[in-house]
């Protein structure tokens, strides 16, 4: 993953696209890894993405059958938040653990207690690895790959966190292999093993245990960090914009009251709540730069010649803040996603999940989680920013995803 730090960092220049011709640097940039996220476009990526999408659907993504799993997790989040009463607390571990449990229950077949030390360490490692992978030292690794093996500094720390994550995931995969019952697949890993066995005589098949490790790593990392950072941003924005929070509360009161459990069927009746989530996503662009592409032909775009073979890094952050597209783009205004009748409007330039063939594979899952968790938390709590605490920078911390800077919050029971 570190190989990509160069692209992601350079793409931060706030033009909508960043072009880079690999030969200009006099060294070869490594662009591919197994898995889905950084797999090169081709038959292996297609096979793996198709299988992963249909297996996620099998486990309820995009359908109501997944709702109970997400709702179950909400019970634990609320219990944790209630423990703090009127005191402020750090919401990061609670939200990360809860979001990760949704993907873990589908992919690994189990959820983890919020006190589970090994899992807590894993989530910390993951956030740290993402942060380190865009550390400016890491850029040098693209030029001198051997730096990665230095026995000190951020390289050593990155190696250690990568090793811990690898050990954790490989242990779970091995346990699945040893206890597999092909007639009763428990989760994504079991389905993958079964599919690999079915395909074992197919020479074109890319399904094997080594590849499975990368797919699970992608699901685990992409499925945790993105959605949890979006939810954390939502809580932060609600605490800093109480007038918006009041409107969300009013809509929830009208549609759900205090006791009705939120469901995707309520979405259509809650346009302001949805518009609020969308505006947080627009403002914060938790995946500010999407997956690098490569020009298959020389092309001219807006007067710029893009030579064949150029690496292109679409800058989603910049699209979301483009003053030619959005009125007052730096202001937080959920109503920009509503028409004069208060109904939700789709905006072409709203692309938090990217676009095209590599569009986010977890979009449906993320949208379900964001709506159900946000609506349910807002139904139960009023979020306040602690009075005497300094306001955090709203620019966030860049580390492959854009996370909010650390903050504490008060969750008052409604
Ligand atoms: C709010 C949450 C999320 C956001 C904002 C987000 C955003 C993105 C973006 C911008 C991309 C790159 C798309 C492109 O290059 O055009 C992407 C790719 C991807 N995302 Fe997400 N994502 C989220 C949640 C998830 C979840 C929950 C999963 C887990 C299932 C996931 C799995 C993936 C995968 C596997 C890819 C690579 C797709 C491919 O290359 O074919 N994402 N995501």
């Amino acid at each position: 993953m570190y190989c990509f730090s160069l692209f992601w960092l350079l793409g931060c220049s706030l033009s909508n696209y960043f072009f880079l011709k690999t030969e200009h640097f006099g060294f070869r940039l490594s662009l591919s890894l197994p898995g889905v996220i950084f797999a090169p476009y081709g038959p292996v990526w297609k096979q793996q993405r198709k299988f992963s999408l249909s297996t996620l659907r099998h486990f309820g993504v995009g359908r109501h059958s997944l709702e109970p799993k997400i709702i179950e997790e909400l019970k634990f989040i609320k219990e944790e938040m209630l423990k703090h009463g009127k005191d402020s607390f750090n919401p990061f571990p609670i939200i990360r653990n809860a979001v990760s449990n949704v993907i873990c229950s589908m992919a690994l077949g189990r959820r983890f207690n919020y006190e589970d030390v090994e899992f807590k360490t894993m989530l910390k490692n993951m956030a740290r690895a993402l942060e380190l992978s865009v550390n400016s030292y890491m850029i040098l690794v693209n030029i001198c790959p051997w730096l990665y093996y230095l026995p000190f500094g951020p390289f050593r720390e990155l190696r250690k966190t990568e090793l811990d994550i690898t050990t954790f995931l490989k242990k779970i995969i091995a346990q699945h292999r040893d206890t597999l019952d092909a007639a009763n697949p428990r989760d994504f890993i079991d389905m993958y093993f079964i599919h690999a066995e079915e395909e074992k005589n197919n020479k074109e098949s890319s399904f094997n245990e080594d590849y499975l490790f990368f797919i699970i790593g992608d699901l685990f990392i992409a499925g945790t960090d993105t959605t949890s950072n979006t939810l954390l941003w939502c809580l932060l924005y609600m605490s800093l914009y109480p007038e918006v929070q009041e409107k969300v509360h009013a809509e929830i009161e009208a549609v759900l009251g205090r006791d009705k459990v939120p469901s995707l069927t309520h979405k259509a009746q809650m346009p302001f709540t949805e518009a609020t989530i969308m505006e947080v996503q627009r403002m914060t662009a938790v995946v500010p730069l999407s997956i690098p592409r490569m020009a298959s032909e020389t092309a001219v775009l807006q007067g710029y010649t893009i030579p064949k073979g150029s690496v292109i890094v679409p800058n989603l952050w910049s699209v979301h803040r483009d003053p030619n597209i959005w009125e007052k783009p730096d202001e937080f205004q959920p109503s920009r996603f509503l028409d004069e009748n208060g109904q939700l409007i789709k905006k072409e330039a709203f692309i938090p999940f990217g676009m095209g063939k590599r569009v986010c594979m977890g979009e449906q899952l993320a949208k379900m989680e964001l709506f159900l968790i946000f609506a349910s938390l807002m139904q139960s709590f009023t979020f306040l920013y602690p009075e005497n605490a300094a306001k955090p920078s709203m620019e966030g911390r860049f580390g492959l995803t854009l996370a909010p800077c650390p903050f504490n919050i008060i969750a008052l029971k409604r």
Side-chain angles (χ1 to χ4, degrees):
M1 187 181 295
Y2 53 87
C3 304
F4 291 90
S5 52
L6 179 66
F7 305 114
W8 288 70
L9 261 192
L10 290 179
C12 260
S13 67
L14 299 180
S15 59
N16 283 5
Y17 297 95
F18 180 84
F19 310 119
L20 165 72
K21 185 115 171 74
T22 48
E23 297 101 78
H24 291 167
F25 288 81
F27 56 89
R28 206 174 144 267
L29 293 165
S30 164
L31 258 180
S32 58
L33 276 179
V36 177
I37 301 181
F38 292 126
Y41 181 71
V44 172
W45 165 79
K46 270 192 197 157
Q47 281 178 8
Q48 298 289 334
R49 178 167 167 129
K50 191 170 165 218
F51 171 83
S52 302
L53 267 175
S54 77
T55 306
L56 287 176
R57 258 185 238 120
H58 174 88
F59 286 112
V61 170
R63 294 198 260 123
H64 292 292
S65 54
L66 183 64
E67 276 188 30
K69 275 227 161 75
I70 301 175
I71 299 295
E72 185 202 349
E73 204 52 49
L74 271 157
K75 204 175 67 202
F76 296 103
I77 310 181
K78 287 182 193 168
E79 263 171 28
E80 282 300 307
M81 289 191 170
L82 283 171
K83 281 183 192 164
H84 299 278
K86 292 180 178 162
D87 295 332
S88 67
F89 62 94
N90 171 8
F92 284 65
I94 304 175
I95 296 290
R96 278 218 179 102
N97 209 323
V99 168
S100 194
N101 268 337
V102 174
I103 193 77
C104 284
S105 57
M106 270 185 290
L108 316 180
R110 58 166 296 193
R111 63 174 299 280
F112 294 85
N113 284 331
Y114 294 9
E115 280 75 39
D116 188 312
V117 177
E118 192 186 12
F119 191 60
K120 267 162 75 171
T121 314
M122 205 43 48
L123 292 179
K124 250 196 209 147
N125 278 342
M126 197 172 70
R128 183 70 184 137
L130 291 178
E131 224 172 79
L132 280 171
S133 62
V134 293
N135 180 305
S136 48
Y137 293 109
M138 295 303 160
I139 291 176
L140 298 174
V141 174
N142 288 290
I143 302 161
C144 309
W146 51 265
L147 284 175
Y148 178 69
Y149 299 98
L150 284 182
F152 52 81
F155 307 105
R156 181 164 171 265
E157 193 187 347
L158 184 64
R159 274 202 325 276
K160 164 92 176 66
T161 49
E162 280 182 358
L163 182 68
D164 288 349
I165 296 173
T166 303
T167 313
F168 175 77
L169 292 179
K170 287 210 162 162
K171 190 171 86 184
I172 292 176
I173 291 173
Q175 281 164 355
H176 275 71
R177 188 209 317 113
D178 297 343
T179 57
L180 179 69
D181 171 5
N184 295 301
R186 297 158 289 190
D187 49 37
F188 189 100
I189 299 183
D190 279 0
M191 298 279 277
Y192 195 101
F193 272 126
I194 295 167
H195 190 68
E197 180 63 21
E198 284 164 1
E199 291 286 303
K200 73 175 178 208
N201 295 325
N202 174 2
K203 285 200 184 80
E204 310 290 310
S205 168
S206 56
F207 292 87
N208 56 57
E209 190 168 332
D210 289 342
Y211 213 99
L212 168 62
F213 162 72
F214 286 100
I215 295 281
I216 291 299
D218 277 3
L219 293 181
F220 185 53
I221 292 175
T224 299
D225 205 59
T226 48
T227 312
S228 52
N229 281 336
T230 308
L231 282 166
L232 286 163
W233 277 116
C234 284
L235 300 189
L236 181 60
Y237 269 91
M238 289 306 93
S239 69
L240 296 176
Y241 290 84
E243 67 288 358
V244 175
Q245 179 164 202
E246 246 173 56
K247 281 190 177 175
V248 175
H249 278 152
E251 189 174 74
I252 288 176
E253 195 72 39
V255 179
L256 303 174
R258 292 289 159 111
D259 303 317
K260 227 184 257 172
V261 178
S263 150
L264 294 182
T265 49
H266 297 121
K267 231 179 171 184
Q269 296 158 263
M270 296 168 66
F272 191 79
T273 306
E274 232 199 306
T276 302
I277 298 171
M278 288 161 83
E279 179 65 346
V280 171
Q281 288 193 283
R282 184 192 69 80
M283 290 287 287
T284 58
V286 293
V287 181
L289 305 168
S290 70
I291 293 171
R293 313 291 209 269
M294 188 171 279
S296 52
E297 296 297 336
T298 297
V300 178
L301 181 70
Q302 293 179 352
Y304 293 94
T305 300
I306 307 160
K308 182 178 174 176
S310 303
V311 173
I312 301 163
V313 184
N315 186 335
L316 306 183
W317 190 97
S318 143
V319 176
H320 282 183
R321 296 286 187 112
D322 190 334
N324 297 316
I325 300 173
W326 308 93
E327 205 181 315
K328 299 190 181 154
D330 297 330
E331 287 184 13
F332 180 62
Q333 293 177 3
S335 56
R336 69 172 84 243
F337 285 103
L338 300 173
D339 66 15
E340 56 284 0
N341 301 317
Q343 292 309 306
L344 210 64
I345 32 178
K346 287 213 165 88
K347 303 249 182 187
E348 219 186 4
F350 176 65
I351 45 169
F353 298 100
M355 60 198 299
K357 289 189 173 153
R358 301 299 289 248
V359 69
C360 174
M361 206 177 77
E363 179 173 356
Q364 295 305 321
L365 173 61
K367 283 182 173 167
M368 281 180 87
E369 289 183 272
L370 290 178
F371 178 76
L372 294 175
I373 298 179
F374 180 67
S376 178
L377 287 179
M378 294 299 285
Q379 184 185 34
S380 303
F381 298 102
T382 300
F383 291 96
L384 305 175
Y385 200 78
E387 250 173 42
N388 301 324
K391 296 272 176 305
S393 151
M394 297 305 273
E395 289 186 359
R397 278 180 307 157
F398 183 55
L400 282 194
T401 58
L402 201 56
C405 296
F407 67 90
N408 280 3
I409 204 158
I410 299 167
L412 275 191
K413 190 167 167 13
R414 296 182 68 221

